[in-house]
Amino acid sequence: MRRLKAQIIDQDGFDRTTIRLAHEILEKNRGAGNIVIVGIRTRGEFIARRIARIIEEVEHTTLQIGSLDITLYRDDLLGKLEQPQLKGTDILFDISGKDVILIDDVLFTGRTIRAALDELIDLGRPRTIQLAVLIDRGHRQLPIRADYVGKNIPTAAQESIRVHVKEVDGEDAVLLMHPEE
Amino acid sequence: MPLQSRHLLGLDGMRREDIQLILDTAVSFREVLDRPIKKVPPLTGKTVANMFFENSTRTRLSFELAERRLSADVLGFAATGSSVSKGETLKDTARNIEAMKVDMVVMRHSAAGAPHYLSRVIEANVINAGDGSHEHPTQALLDMYTIREKLGRLQDLHVCILGDISHSRVARSNIFGLKTMGARVTVCGPATMIPREITRLGVEVCHHIDDVLPSVDVLNVLRIQLERDAGRLFPSLREYHNFYGITRKRLEKAGRTITIMHPGPINRDVEISADVADSEHSVILQQVLNGVAIRMAVLYLLSSRT
Amino acid sequence: MQLLLKNGRLVDPLTGRDEALDLLITDGRIDRIGHSLTSASAQVIELRGKVIAPGFIDMHVHLREPGFEYKETIASGCAAAAAGGFTAVCCMPNTNPPIDDESVIRFIQARAKVALGGLVDVYPVAAVTMARKGEHLAPLAELATAGAVAFSDDGDPVADTELMRRALEYSAMFGKPVIQHAQDPALSKGGVANEGFVATSLGLPVIPRLAEEIMVARDIRLAAYTGGLYHVAHVSTAETLATIRKGKADGVHVTCEVTPHHFVLTDESLRSFDTNFKMNPPLRTQDDVEAMKGWNDRCHCDRSCAPLVR
């Protein structure tokens, strides 16, 4: 069991952060014209939908949104005792030539993002792939960085970050947890 | 929740949740097959041997494709020209293959129970790709997947399996799987092709196809073995076609939309007429496509069960 | 040289004896039977809790020699028999060459005499037909004279009705029975398992009970008509037993035997796909097992060794 150490982001903070990320994405891409949004399952998918909705409201447009299940691209699959259940990749549009905004909740070792990049490239040839994360907690094991960061949170490697979203957890919040006891 | 067994030998006795897991997992792989690059990496570094002691083209190709699309290394083994004709026992053949550090074995054999035996003498995961007239589990799984894709469920559907039930591994695996998933199953064919006491498997028996069609949701038409059966199990192909052949006229008389399936290869205008095989209610080609996804799901799920 | 067996349970079906007794054996012969026997010079063996019985006879074994010495030899078969308490065996003729010539009988007799010093008596069963092909009668008179105790094409039936009639007529002249491996070849072709729910579930090719029952019914009619001596090898179904029982009641000279596996095991064993349970005739159902337990002329092992099958 992990115990709660601190709540880092509450409901208002969550909303402010996603709004800011949406605006940064728009600013850097000079509008939403060539953007498609891809969230990494499970929680990245819901954050992606929030950000996409904000962009759609601001720009009066409709975005193409997909979700990515990176399970099959994990580098630790063969060694695992418990095989993770497949949730399925659901990208019903062509990403070739697009600016793909890849969205996840927490950036940690970078291995999830490596898997996501490999999978995206198997799906087509985007013009760019840009990474947006709600939390960057450091401890990278691969040369990967995010283009848009909601909040940088220095952590100890044994601590963990939990992101809660309303759709799954009933609340929007980011929690810092003590190391496993 | 992993599969209960580390082998896929048959659907007889397989838990409902295991069948459900395979069908659900196959949905993810079905999506992979629509991608421009139809290949994913989860079996990288794994070696799969396809041991086909009996001729088969499409099942072997389907497995091979599934293995390659999961990035496995694939070893092919065909009975002709191999050590089998030199008198080696199955156990020795299998152990030799295993000595080459194979992780999984896909096996087709003319003797019922051959893969069950194999699973007891080697360490690799064993997948039954058809053993005699016993089971062909991946075929039944892909049939169930296709039914679920087309009609949204299996529970309480009425599925009729038509043809030589006695000699059909496809029929047996379908019966076991469909009954577990809550479907109603009728087997239909001439009395010479219905094995004794089959009703104890929970199926209904019918000898006149026109009697059962009006209540059927799915009709799975089995291939008639032209070479083997004519003259012994039924008098002639003409008579079989007239009394059991699935034609548009026969289906219209039933007055019901029936999904048509066939495990292939089809004998056009023998057990099924060409217009029915090519009709909008036929899912024969979807079965072939879904077969790759089902086999990917089975390989993937078993690969973690070492 | 004396041997004293103390406190063994002596079972002798012939005299109906079944009690704890001592046996004094002098120079290889039973000298005295009684309670609390003593002898100053005898070697004493304590046998409390063990059974002493006359040597068993297995009337249906396969010694495989000549021709299949890689499976079994007369010497190894005799050793196995002795180890199991059998002092006499009848060996079946499906050797190579088959026992369709008196020279083969002489060969077997000579080998048996030197195996274990002749401890186990070997009684050859000769073929009914030449090369066991079911086409022409073997020289039954010569074979009987040389020492054949019965005739059988075991492994295969004498399927030809006319030939079976002639075999029964001819062998009756010497008072020797024809032992039939009763199985209609057309009905059982390619089969491995009892036709029924288990074979249906497992998709195994079948040997229906009919294949045996039809041939036994036919043969009993032939035996009644010809006055021949008819013996059914390894009965596997309840209906076969009923037909034999009726034949006996009608005064036909018909006997039969049952193997231990057929009155202990059923086709349910096949679900393991362990080929040790695959045999000919196939294991049947619980109803058949119950019928066997209730009635039995003779019991034999049908011991036959075969190398691993593919």
Side-chain angles (χ1 to χ4, degrees), chain B residues 12 84 87-90 112-113 116 120 131 133-134 172 176 195-198 200-201, chain C residues 186 195-205 268 271-275 308-310:
Chain B
D12 189 3
V84 173
E88 195 178 41
T89 64
L90 175 57
H116 305 67
R120 287 196 293 263
D131 62 326
S133 304
H134 181 215
R172 279 180 182 76
F176 295 132
R196 292 175 80 80
E197 301 184 46
I198 191 157
R200 287 175 65 188
L201 292 177
Chain C
E195 182 166 28
F197 181 57
V198 174
T200 290
S201 306
L202 301 181
L204 293 169
E268 285 292 331
R271 291 190 184 277
S272 63
F273 283 113
D274 181 341
T275 48
L308 273 179
V309 286
R310 271 182 292 287

Side-chain angles (χ1 to χ4, degrees), chain C residues 251-273:
Chain C
V252 182
H253 195 294
V254 51
T255 52
C256 68
E257 79 210 17
V258 176
T259 72
H261 30 279
H262 285 101
F263 65 73
V264 172
L265 302 169
T266 70
D267 58 356
E268 285 292 331
S269 310
L270 297 173
R271 291 190 184 277
S272 63
F273 283 113

Side-chain angles (χ1 to χ4, degrees), chain C residues 65-68 93-101 103-104:
Chain C
E65 186 179 352
F68 305 98
N94 56 340
T95 50
N96 185 23
I99 312 178
D100 61 1
D101 188 279
S103 63
V104 185

Side-chain angles (χ1 to χ4, degrees), chain B residues 5-209:
Chain B
S5 170
R6 49 186 298 271
H7 308 289
L8 178 66
L9 302 176
L11 299 192
D12 189 3
M14 183 182 267
R15 301 184 304 181
R16 186 187 172 106
E17 55 261 43
D18 281 355
I19 294 176
Q20 197 79 50
L21 175 62
I22 294 170
L23 297 182
D24 291 346
T25 304
V27 175
S28 292
F29 289 110
R30 179 64 192 74
E31 176 270 319
V32 170
L33 298 179
D34 286 335
R35 296 182 184 182
I37 295 175
K38 301 168 180 57
K39 186 165 180 160
V40 286
L43 260 61
T44 305
K46 293 260 185 185
T47 306
V48 186
N50 296 315
M51 300 177 65
F52 279 70
F53 293 91
E54 189 185 74
N55 280 338
S56 154
T57 305
R58 65 186 58 209
T59 302
R60 187 170 52 78
L61 286 179
S62 181
F63 266 108
E64 225 180 280
L65 201 56
E67 291 149 12
R68 291 183 193 284
R69 293 198 160 160
L70 291 168
S71 304
D73 293 316
V74 179
L75 262 181
F77 174 96
T80 46
S82 77
S83 50
V84 173
S85 50
K86 296 174 188 161
E88 195 178 41
T89 64
L90 175 57
K91 184 177 185 169
D92 287 323
T93 305
R95 286 219 165 139
N96 272 278
I97 299 267
E98 191 171 51
M100 298 180 210
K101 302 284 179 203
V102 165
D103 300 292
M104 307 176 93
V105 173
V106 176
M107 186 199 212
R108 159 73 60 96
H109 201 285
S110 60
H116 305 67
Y117 171 76
L118 191 73
S119 70
R120 287 196 293 263
V121 296
I122 67 172
E123 286 299 312
N125 307 92
V126 176
I127 298 174
N128 182 2
D131 62 326
S133 304
H134 181 215
E135 286 230 41
H136 192 355
T138 56
Q139 177 71 43
L141 287 165
L142 77 88
D143 288 346
M144 288 191 281
Y145 182 96
T146 307
I147 294 170
R148 204 178 70 162
E149 183 184 62
K150 177 87 173 174
L151 301 175
R153 67 195 163 99
L154 292 163
Q155 183 78 41
D156 298 328
L157 285 180
H158 187 188
V159 179
C160 177
I161 307 171
L162 171 67
D164 183 359
I165 309 301
S166 288
H167 295 96
S168 176
R169 50 190 169 217
V170 175
R172 279 180 182 76
S173 287
N174 263 287
I175 290 168
F176 295 132
L178 286 166
K179 290 306 294 179
T180 302
M181 301 308 284
R184 174 185 168 198
V185 180
T186 299
V187 294
C188 181
T192 46
M193 291 176 159
I194 307 290
R196 292 175 80 80
E197 301 184 46
I198 191 157
T199 51
R200 287 175 65 188
L201 292 177
V203 303
E204 295 156 56
V205 173
C206 177
H207 296 306
H208 304 285
I209 183 66

